[in-house]
Each structure stands twice: as structure tokens, then as C-alpha cells.
Amino acid sequence: MSRYNFRETETKWQRVWRERQLFAVAAEPGRPKYYVLEMFPYPSGKLHVGHVRNYTMGDLVARYRRARGFNVLHPMGWDAFGLPAENAAIAENVHPAIWTAQNIATMRAQLERMGFAYDWSREIATCHPEYYRHEQKMFLDFLVAGLAYRKESWVNWDPVENTVLANEQVIDGRGWRSGAIVERRLLSQWFLRITAFTDELLGAISRLDRWPERVRLMQENWIGRSEGARVFFDTAGPLPDPPPLAGEGRVGAIEVFTTRQDTLFGASFVALSPNHPLAQRLAENDAGLADFIAECNRMGTSEAVIETAEKRGYKTGLEAVHPFDPNRRVPVYVANFVLMEYGTGAIFGCPAHDQRDLEFARKYELPVIPVVLPPGADPAHFTIDETAFVEDGTLFNSAFLDGLTVAEAKRAAGERLEALGRGERTVAYRLRDWGVSRQRYWGCPIPVIHCPQCGIVPVPESDLPVKLPEDISFAVPGNPLAHHPTWKRVACPLCHAPAERETDTFDTFFESSWYFLRFCSARDERAFSRDAVDYWMPVDQYIGGVEHAVLHLLYSRFFTRALKQCGYLDLDEPFAGLFTQGMVCHQTYRSENGEWLFPEEVERTDDGRLVGPDSRPVIVGRTEKMSKSKKNVVGLDAIVDTYGADTARFYLLSDSPPERDLEWTETGIEGIWRYVNRLWRMVSEPLLPLPPPGTAVPGGLPAEIADLRRATHRAIAAVSDDLDKFRFNRAVARIRELSNAIEELPAQSFAATPAALAVLREALETLTRLLGPMMPHLAEEMWQMLGGAGLLAERPWPVADPEWAREEQVTIAVQVNGKLRGTLECPRDTASGAVESAALQLPQVSRWLDGRPPRKVIIVPNRIVSIVA
RNA sequence: GCGGGCGUGGCGGAAUUGGCAGACGCACUGGAUUUAGGUUCCAGCGAUGUAAGUCGUGGGGGUUCAAAUCCCCCCGCCCGCACCA
């Protein structure tokens, strides 16, 4: 029995597609377009099978939409700036540009071997000046539009490496390489005013109806709108001199944001963020407070760390006057769980009705005053022990608020604050402006110049791009741009005095916030051609990992609006449809001494044990997302070498639903390989002689042959529907059902009749065409063997004949008292009365009815008869 | 801590969205072919029971003629949290 030679076949068809430039497209105004985009990869090295799952899905969509008649744009490029290139530069002494270029070459070759239908003429790499020059211009435009500005912000600082650390580089409060305790530092940085679009970004989410619900929810929560009030607490006690600032000009007052102004009468403390100006001012004369703040700053900047740390505070000695009762005073603390970035950087604590406040109050023995009474509770005896009461109830212990519900009390308290001039109702957002400065080399230089006389001066447009210098060294800790001997020294464009370039580079999310626009006209002199963007945008189907559900997608939505405001385009939402695919997982293996092992290092012995390289036992760990660090990766090259691209592609589409994680197994890929060969033999070694292409299927088919024809047309309908709805695993199952049905035919006695053979040809051609977007090389080969005209990649998608796609005979379930007692075969749409009497006559049914007439019969047409005895 | 998601045979999953639970596949078992292994073909494959049947979708409760699907409570696992991309 022969085997499919995928090596020869796959390279052959890839050459044909390439020579004919099948996937290079141009805008054709008037013709319907479809823009399919997979999130472009970071060129980190080599691809493993986990990387190509979303490209396989994107390619399926691209080929399918193309067959459905769309002008399909399906580009690919490289998100080429980033930290790993610098890490490699330090670890392997290779220049980031070279490391990146090598990785791009390797990964492009890998993608080409997979046979993906990309328009490679639009390939971009974001590290090229031809790409990043345009975002430097955009930044200058943002600056003019007031969408970019400079302010101080906190970073993780590694005092040994002299560098800023990403949160992921901070492990248990220490720098990942140096092991030094990480500090928080205030640095002057560039920000983009994403908050200028908060309401729009939030409001438009509801119109993104082709986005996954969970991503929309995550974006909503990220923006985090909360209604509440700002409240001023006047301070009493020794104020520092000069007194600290307070918003709205109330000198000496602490401005607090709360969503629970209804619980003000339960306040027992006010707490400031360690970075609050007042806390900073007080620390100048309080060494203990300064120490406490320093300690808080060692905690790192990540919200997860801050929120899970033990609640701690420092009593400042200051007191805050209750806004509703000048005779009540509460102590002012500095507390480690108050975030400067949210609200006003200060809170009031109501321990009875907030869990964090309660923990804090118990620790520092502060009063716990309940002011909201749960429904039905007795006000005389209601107390709080270890759990704060956060639900709705009736206000008590609260003067003029007594008897109100929480919602009513929020309104009443807000109105009273406004009347007293001690606060006002307001809306706070969790969303903060986007800090884009990075103290790194491998990124796009920020095009500004610092002049001692003129201050911050934008680089004139005629001087763009500001290119990265190539001769840099990572030998000295810190940013190579900052200690480059000459690069930063320039003349001020305004006064021509000696000045310095900004040495920070952009966050790499900057590049990925507009690359989808660049793809529309990738070689244009401008960032993009307006005509091209008007034709191709928005992206019809965007595909990528859920890990980008918030930041990348939100930044891109913001960027598109910012560009619109600056007159670049007329578009709000860049991605009309979004799909987030699951990860590819694999078992993990460890040796006895705990070292991770690659899957290819593990073998199964004859008695079924798993052993490592030295025949030592292997410990099988859990199945986890493929990652280099745990070595549970399966290299793409090895799989393509052994089984071919189509087998890998089909495996990545079968079994698991695309949005869920997929487990990669050896037995699984072998199963697909067997199926690939089965398909190939069905066409290359047909068991029955096929009639020539174009042979018409005669009318009046015998029932057995009609069954195969029905299966064929049902498969077209079902697969099309599944592909439309991203149910690729189901589409695979439907295709397998069709191939099973085809294989049953030759064994039948009627199989050699002309009618049967014509139906068989139709079935085989249909199978081939349905396989086209999934296994394009094999399908192209099958198409050729079947004598089909032209290239399969250029054929339109098959159309199901509704007459044949409909089931003629249905099986109806018969239940008695909710339990299945039998089934009924009858023609589709048989009248209810006939179905009922047939059901009642079933012997299994009469047995359970025991001679009594049924009390009730429910009939769902073509589906079920439910009899209540 | 906050937010999001998931849970169905030995395994991945399917179930027309409230209507025959387990489609399709992997693994496994028996048989045929083969010098052997692999391949291929046939049959079986949720648990329990000789059978009729009974039980069964993480656990418990509820709504309904009918629940994997809807409601309430609980358990477990995974992901994100602003300088990784």
C-alpha cells in the first residue's frame, strides 16, 4: 500500500502558488473585501507547534473567504522590537538587530513551509526605520493635539543593574538577574492621553458585536467606571508648613474618592497612599514615616502584589474632621494598600462595610461602626466580626441618612456634601493614561530633544526618522542609548545651542497599535494610503491570544481614534471581528533530580514506563501551555519533517474547539497522519472506476445511493455553517463523517452502477473542496488527481442543494414520564396525530402505560414525543 | 485581593441552545491480513446487571412532561492585573 509523499507534494504546490502570485492582492473598489489578520508574532527564535495554531485558523478563514468570492487581504509581519532581543544581546553578545533579523529569517521560512496564503509583498518588520519613522511623526502630531504629555511616574528600579524592570522581571521583590531588592522610583516619562477617550472606548464596546463576550467584559472592567463622590476631610493637628496641596483649592484638606459616601458615618480612619503628596511632605519631618514609605516602595508596582500584601499602615498623628460632624475626628494613616494611581490617592475607611478596611481596623484596633443594617437584622444587636457587610440594607447610626436604602443614601449623602461644599458626586475610572517611555535600546526612539534653554523641543519633521545608533554596547548596565558617546548630543532645533536627545524609546505596544493600518499599503511613503485604509479597514477577522484581550486591543482602539482626531483616517474601531484562540499544551517531563526534559528526550520502554536520556525514570508533570522554560515544546520543523504541514494544520484544527486549549500528543498527530493517507488513497487508488469529471448525477436515485448524495450535501451545509461560526473542530468531524460515508460505498452491491459512480465522484470532489482551506496541499493534489479544472485554491466554495441537504427520514424519541422508552422512524414532518398514535402503539410504551390512557402527550415535531402517564 | 473563564467516558470533545447524553477522533480490547513490527480491514468500547432495567454530564438543592443546558449554594482548576509580547 502506497504512502502519500507530502514532501514532494507540499513543495510543488507552494511553488505553484508562489509563481502565480496567487495571494498577492490589490484594492479593487466595488469588490467586497475581507481583511483577515493574525496577531503578528514577536520574532523570538523558532516556531513551535503552539505558535502556528492561530496562523492555521487565519489561513483557513482566508482561503475560505477567498473561495466565497471575497477579495482577501491576509498579510504577515514582525513585531520586532522588544526586551528579549536585549536579553539575548546581553546573554549571547549578539546585536539585537542581527538576532532579530536571523529570527525573522528562520520564522519566515517556517511559515512558508506551512503553506500559509500570505501576501508576502506586504511583509513589515517594526524595527525598520521605514516603519517606525511614521510613528515618530504620529507622536509629534499627538503632541500638538495634546494627546501626548510628560509627567512623573513610578517604576521598578534595580539599583545594581541601574535599570528599570518590567513587573515580570521582579520576582519576590528582587531583580531577576541581579537579585537586588527592587525600589520604586519616580521618573519623568511620556504619556498618551487614552483617558481623553474613556467614555467613547467604554461606550463603543457594546457595538463590538463580533467580539467575544469575555473580552468585552475584560475591557469594561479594565476601564472600570465607578460612580461615587469626592469628599474633603479638613485636617486637624500639626500641619506641615507649607500645607500640602489639595484639589479644588481647599488648602489643608484631604481629598478622598469613595463609592460609598453612604457609609460616611461609619468612617473610622482616613488613609493616604505612600506616594500621596501629603504623605511625602509629612515624611520630611518623620523618620519613621519615611522608613515606612521606603518599605512600601520596595513592594513593587504591580497591583496584584499590592492588593495581596498584608494590610499595613503608619499613624501620621494628623486627624481628619468628619465632613458631616465637625466634632468627630478620625486618625490619618499612610497605608500600603492605597493606590496613588486610582481616585485621589486617599480613602476614608469604613471597616464595617469594606473587607480591606475591616482587616486594617482589626490590626490597628480602630472602631468598627455598622451603618448599613442587613434586611431583617436587629439594629440593637447587629455587629460585625470577621466579615464586612457589603450588600444592600437600611442605613442606621447615620443621622439624616437613617432608614434609607444604600442607593438612596448615596444620593442623599452626595447632595448634602455638595450643599456643604465638602465634596461632590463624581465618576472615577480605573483606566490610567498610557505610559509609553521605556528606558531601553531596542525600541523606537522618541523624537524629542531636551534643550537647557528651550525645554522640550520636538524633532523637526524633516529630520525624521530619528534612527537608532548601531554601534552600541551592553557592557555597561543601563540604557545603551543613554551612554552612547555621541548619539544623544545634538543642536537644539530652535536655538542651536548644545542639547540632548531623549534616550527613552517607545513601549512596543506603540508599534502594534497601528501595524494593521500599515498592511493596507505597506510600501507607501506615508504611514498608509488613505484610499487603501478606506478600502481595507476595518479588519474583518482578527485572530490572536486572549492574553492581548485588554492592553493591545485597547491601545489599538485608542490609537485609531487618536489618528482620526489628527486627520489620518476616518474610523473608530479597527477590528470588526475578533477571535481569541486557546493555547497549545503538552505534558511536562522532569528527570529524577527535577530538571525539565524535552518531549523528544523521553522514551517509552516496552513495559510502558517512561525513561529519560540515561534510561532513568521520568516524572510526568501536568499538561501545561508550551513554553521554553518548561521544555514542553514540540518543534515545528520536526513535525513538518515527519508528517508534513497539512497533517500539522489538520491536527491543530481538530478535536478542541478553537477558543479552548488544545493538547498536543504524539498519538494524536499519528492518527491525523493515518487519515491523511486514507484520503490520499481514496483518490489515488480508487476502488471503483470514476466517471470523467463533469458527469451529471442522474435523477431518480435508488435509496441507498441517495443516502450518499444526502451525506454529501449535508456535509457542505454543515461545514460551511461551522466555518462561518469558527467551529473548526466540528467541521473536521463533519468532513470525517463524509469520508466514512464514501468508504462504505464500494462494499455495496449496487456500487458499480453509473448512478452510484456519478454520486461517488460528486462526493469525492466535495470532500476535496471542503478540505481545501484546512489541508491545502493535499486537497490541491487530490483535485488534480480527480481531473478538476485549474487550481483548487481558485475554485469557488461548493454550494449545498437544499433539497439534498435535508433529512428525509427522522428518528423521533419517545419518552414516558420523562424516560426514554423507544424510538420511532418516520418521514420528516409527519403529522402530529400520526406520530402520537404510532408512539402509543409502540410495545415498550404500552408496557409502561400499563393500559391506562395517557394524561398528557407533548409532541415536538421531528424530535420527541413525551407521554405523561 | 480584584476581574475573567473552565469542569461531560480512560483521553480530546459533540449535543440543532430545554427535547434520544457521548457525534467525530485518540487510546484500549477481540478477530482477520502480515515472517514480524507497522499499516489495513471487521467487531466492541460510560458504570452496573444474566436480563428487564437502574444509575450517570465536578458536588448538593430547585424549576419543568423533559435539564450537560435555566435558577440557588458549594468545590476544584486555569488565565489577566498596566514596563513580557
Side-chain angles (χ1 to χ4, degrees):
Chain A
M1 194 176 300
S2 53
R3 285 181 128 197
Y4 169 52
N5 186 340
F6 62 83
R7 256 175 269 268
E8 210 171 86
T9 306
E10 292 185 350
T11 43
K12 175 176 76 184
W13 293 113
Q14 281 166 21
R15 195 177 56 242
V16 171
W17 297 332
R18 191 170 52 243
E19 281 167 1
R20 301 206 188 177
Q21 297 208 12
L22 216 55
F23 306 117
V25 287
E28 293 178 43
R31 187 174 160 210
K33 63 89 187 184
Y34 199 91
Y35 186 176
V36 194
L37 184 65
E38 299 104 61
M39 290 180 184
F40 68 159
Y42 180 77
S44 56
K46 278 187 174 184
L47 294 172
H48 57 68
V49 291
H51 292 123
V52 293
R53 190 179 186 200
N54 69 328
Y55 309 132
T56 301
M57 294 176 190
D59 200 56
L60 186 161
V61 172
R63 287 174 181 269
Y64 173 61
R65 288 292 155 191
R66 192 188 151 87
R68 299 293 295 253
F70 290 92
N71 190 24
V72 172
L73 174 59
H74 187 214
M76 179 44 72
W78 310 97
D79 191 12
F81 276 138
L83 208 44
E86 292 195 30
N87 292 333
I90 294 165
E92 300 161 37
N93 196 29
V94 51
H95 194 285
I98 294 173
W99 183 84
T100 302
Q102 284 169 347
N103 290 344
I104 288 176
T106 305
M107 288 167 65
R108 186 197 301 114
Q110 289 183 301
L111 292 178
E112 284 171 344
R113 279 188 79 191
M114 290 298 288
F116 292 137
Y118 293 128
D119 180 355
W120 281 109
S121 73
R122 294 172 189 258
E123 181 184 9
I124 55 174
T126 58
C127 61
H128 291 157
E130 280 314 301
Y131 183 84
Y132 68 67
R133 65 184 306 162
H134 302 296
E135 67 190 41
Q136 291 178 336
K137 168 78 164 67
M138 290 171 189
F139 179 77
L140 298 180
D141 289 334
F142 292 167
L143 216 45
V144 172
L147 291 171
Y149 67 100
R150 210 165 157 75
K151 77 168 179 190
E152 301 221 297
S153 138
W154 292 92
V155 295
N156 298 309
W157 183 262
D158 185 320
V160 170
E161 291 203 5
N162 242 348
T163 183
V164 176
L165 297 180
N167 280 335
E168 69 152 18
Q169 295 172 323
V170 181
I171 295 152
D172 295 331
R174 290 172 182 273
W176 65 338
R177 268 197 294 253
S178 68
I181 292 182
V182 170
E183 299 166 6
R184 278 156 66 90
R185 269 211 187 175
L186 210 48
L187 231 55
S188 192
Q189 313 207 62
W190 288 102
F191 281 78
L192 294 192
R193 209 179 296 279
I194 190 172
T195 52
F197 297 94
T198 305
D199 282 322
E200 235 199 289
L201 289 168
L202 185 64
I205 291 174
S206 62
R207 295 193 295 275
L208 294 172
D209 54 344
R210 290 205 297 118
W211 282 39
E213 188 54 42
R214 63 173 168 154
V215 173
R216 304 198 308 181
L217 254 167
M218 283 164 87
Q219 294 226 343
E220 269 174 26
N221 290 327
W222 189 263
I223 295 170
R225 182 180 199 274
S226 30
E227 291 182 10
R230 288 187 303 169
V231 184
F232 294 108
F233 281 79
D234 285 329
T235 50
L239 262 183
D241 183 40
L245 322 155
E248 307 296 309
R250 281 183 76 97
V251 173
I254 296 170
E255 184 187 348
V256 149
F257 174 77
T258 180
T259 58
R260 292 303 303 271
Q261 62 269 26
D262 56 308
T263 64
L264 265 167
F265 285 98
S268 56
F269 63 96
V270 161
L272 306 171
S273 163
N275 304 316
H276 193 280
L278 175 56
Q280 300 280 317
R281 199 70 62 85
L282 290 168
E284 287 166 16
N285 297 310
D286 184 340
L289 178 56
D291 286 349
F292 177 76
I293 291 174
E295 208 179 308
C296 292
N297 286 344
R298 277 198 285 275
M299 220 161 46
T301 57
S302 110
E303 193 175 315
V305 168
I306 291 168
E307 297 254 346
T308 45
E310 188 196 357
K311 313 283 172 278
R312 296 178 57 222
Y314 185 94
K315 200 167 179 175
T316 61
L318 224 54
E319 290 189 321
V321 180
H322 196 281
F324 290 144
D325 181 355
N327 298 317
R328 267 179 77 178
R329 297 191 171 183
V330 294
V332 176
Y333 283 80
V334 172
N336 64 351
F337 62 92
V338 183
L339 304 170
M340 191 60 217
E341 289 80 13
Y342 183 71
T344 60
I347 61 156
F348 82 84
C350 174
H353 305 293
D354 183 285
Q355 193 60 35
R356 282 185 309 190
D357 296 350
L358 181 62
E359 284 168 36
F360 191 80
R362 292 298 184 216
K363 187 173 173 85
Y364 296 101
E365 298 181 335
L366 297 163
V368 177
I369 310 156
V371 290
V372 181
L373 191 64
D378 173 6
H381 297 101
F382 179 64
T383 55
I384 298 283
D385 41 87
E386 289 316 306
T387 309
F389 176 71
V390 296
E391 281 145 63
D392 199 7
T394 312
L395 272 284
F396 72 128
N397 294 336
S398 293
F400 65 94
L401 299 173
D402 282 354
L404 302 180
T405 65
V406 166
E408 289 163 350
K410 280 184 179 176
R411 190 179 331 114
E415 281 165 6
R416 180 69 64 100
L417 284 168
E418 283 161 12
L420 295 170
R422 292 179 180 273
E424 61 180 4
R425 280 168 292 174
T426 183
V427 176
Y429 296 92
R430 214 181 72 96
L431 183 69
R432 308 198 293 258
D433 277 336
W434 173 17
V436 293
S437 296
R438 297 292 181 272
Q439 295 68 40
R440 315 215 181 274
Y441 166 71
W442 196 232
C444 170
I446 300 178
V448 294
I449 289 163
H450 298 267
C451 170
Q453 270 77 45
C454 313
I456 288 166
V457 182
V459 172
E461 274 182 38
S462 54
D463 291 350
L464 295 183
V466 177
K467 287 191 193 175
L468 285 173
E470 288 172 19
D471 53 331
I472 42 96
S473 161
F474 284 95
V476 192
N479 182 358
L481 287 182
H483 36 69
H484 187 280
T486 57
W487 181 78
K488 66 180 171 186
R489 302 199 202 292
V490 286
C492 169
L494 294 181
C495 71
H496 308 291
E500 284 197 356
R501 284 192 190 288
E502 168 82 54
T503 59
D504 285 357
T505 51
F506 284 131
D507 177 4
T508 56
F509 276 124
F510 212 99
E511 283 82 58
S512 56
S513 293
W514 68 282
Y515 76 108
F516 43 89
L517 300 170
R518 181 72 181 160
F519 274 140
C520 296
S521 51
R523 301 291 174 262
D524 203 278
E525 284 295 304
R526 298 153 292 176
F528 44 80
S529 120
R530 179 66 194 264
D531 284 346
V533 164
D534 285 348
Y535 177 73
W536 289 114
M537 287 298 288
V539 174
D540 296 278
Q541 187 61 63
Y542 197 31
I543 303 173
V546 74
E547 67 271 21
H548 292 293
V550 178
L551 291 184
H552 161 59
L553 292 169
L554 192 61
Y555 290 155
S556 298
R557 296 179 61 216
F558 155 67
F559 227 84
T560 306
R561 287 170 167 80
L563 289 175
K564 181 183 178 185
Q565 186 177 318
C566 294
Y568 278 73
L569 42 66
D570 186 23
L571 180 74
D572 289 314
E573 289 296 337
F575 312 122
L578 173 69
F579 188 85
T580 53
Q581 92 280 356
M583 296 174 295
V584 180
C585 301
H586 195 275
Q587 277 198 319
T588 50
Y589 304 106
R590 280 195 207 233
S591 65
E592 283 174 313
N593 46 26
E595 287 165 359
W596 299 104
L597 294 171
F598 285 108
E600 62 264 29
E601 296 178 298
V602 177
E603 276 180 51
R604 190 175 288 276
T605 60
D606 292 338
D607 52 336
R609 290 178 306 118
L610 290 177
V611 294
D614 314 322
S615 304
R616 315 272 305 231
V618 163
I619 299 140
V620 177
R622 35 188 299 170
T623 295
E624 290 192 70
K625 176 193 177 181
M626 283 193 183
S627 76
K628 275 191 199 162
S629 62
K630 287 177 181 154
K631 292 194 176 178
N632 62 336
V633 288
V634 176
L636 184 63
D637 291 335
I639 293 299
V640 176
D641 284 344
T642 314
Y643 302 104
D646 282 338
T647 303
R649 292 170 62 126
F650 205 67
Y651 182 64
L652 290 168
L653 295 171
S654 36
D655 283 352
S656 287
E659 69 277 12
R660 249 193 263 176
D661 290 351
L662 170 79
E663 189 182 353
W664 186 273
T665 62
E666 286 309 307
T667 50
I669 189 77
E670 278 167 17
I672 305 290
W673 173 232
R674 285 196 297 270
Y675 180 60
V676 163
N677 279 290
R678 235 175 92 197
L679 287 167
W680 184 70
R681 284 193 300 269
M682 281 165 74
V683 175
S684 65
E685 302 164 10
L687 295 173
L688 296 167
L690 290 181
T695 302
V697 176
L701 295 176
E704 301 87 342
I705 302 171
D707 281 347
L708 178 59
R709 186 149 209 229
R710 272 195 207 95
T712 300
H713 285 268
R714 268 208 315 277
I716 297 173
V719 170
S720 307
D721 187 46
D722 286 336
L723 295 189
D724 286 336
K725 292 175 179 155
F726 263 71
R727 296 188 296 213
F728 305 140
N729 58 321
R730 273 184 21 160
V732 166
R734 299 287 91 85
I735 287 175
R736 284 205 184 242
E737 278 176 344
L738 178 58
S739 42
N740 290 345
I742 291 171
E743 286 187 321
E744 282 165 18
L745 185 77
Q748 310 294 323
S749 55
F750 53 83
T753 61
L757 292 174
V759 169
L760 176 62
R761 166 167 275 281
E762 183 190 40
L764 282 170
E765 284 181 3
T766 300
L767 176 67
T768 302
R769 294 165 77 184
L770 296 180
L771 283 168
M774 301 182 175
M775 298 203 272
H777 313 87
L778 173 65
E780 202 74 76
E781 185 75 8
M782 287 165 67
W783 185 247
Q784 190 183 51
M785 291 191 292
L786 285 168
L791 288 176
L792 179 64
E794 294 185 300
R795 304 305 307 165
W797 191 247
V799 179
D801 181 340
E803 287 298 312
W804 286 98
R806 207 175 40 223
E807 198 72 70
E808 292 306 320
Q809 196 75 8
V810 293
T811 309
I812 293 175
V814 182
Q815 290 183 347
V816 180
N817 289 338
K819 289 201 188 289
L820 181 73
R821 295 303 177 192
T823 58
L824 213 51
E825 295 286 328
C826 56
R828 188 186 176 77
D829 297 332
T830 303
S832 293
V835 171
E836 178 174 341
S837 54
L840 290 172
Q841 278 160 27
L842 285 174
Q844 309 94 298
V845 171
S846 42
R847 210 182 110 207
W848 287 97
L849 277 179
D850 215 11
R852 296 182 304 268
R855 282 199 291 161
K856 195 174 168 191
V857 179
I858 297 143
I859 296 172
V860 182
N862 299 321
R863 195 119 342 136
I864 201 163
V865 180
S866 187
I867 299 162
V868 187

